[in-house]
Amino acid sequence: FFAGLWLTTRQVLRSRHPAALSLASFLGRSLFAAGGFYLVARQGDWRGVVAAAAGFLAARFAATALIRRAHER
């Protein structure tokens, strides 16, 4: 999800249709993430969904930290 977001932000300035690229990327990334949560939720245990949400948030914070470090250099 976050790698796709990073790639989109790098390409949007070069795109002839930045709005379409942004929308397509958002929809694709959202469907991918929702599909993952759906597969976890189908297992029937709410703890799996909580763990998946915690992992998603942890990945967000990790991606943010990596990007900040790269920009500080």
Side-chain angles (χ1 to χ4, degrees):
F1 181 90
F2 297 107
L5 177 60
W6 180 74
L7 289 172
T8 301
T9 57
R10 291 179 50 96
Q11 293 298 321
V12 78
L13 294 177
R14 297 180 218 159
S15 174
R16 293 181 67 190
H17 305 286
L21 175 63
S22 297
L23 180 62
S25 174
F26 171 74
L27 291 174
R29 290 180 293 109
S30 296
L31 286 172
F32 181 77
F37 280 105
Y38 173 75
L39 291 175
V40 171
R42 283 193 62 194
Q43 301 300 316
D45 189 5
W46 63 270
R47 292 175 289 207
V49 176
V50 171
F56 191 83
L57 287 174
R60 180 206 179 263
F61 289 120
T64 302
L66 287 171
I67 290 170
R68 279 194 185 136
R69 272 193 224 140
H71 283 293
E72 288 175 355
R73 291 180 190 174

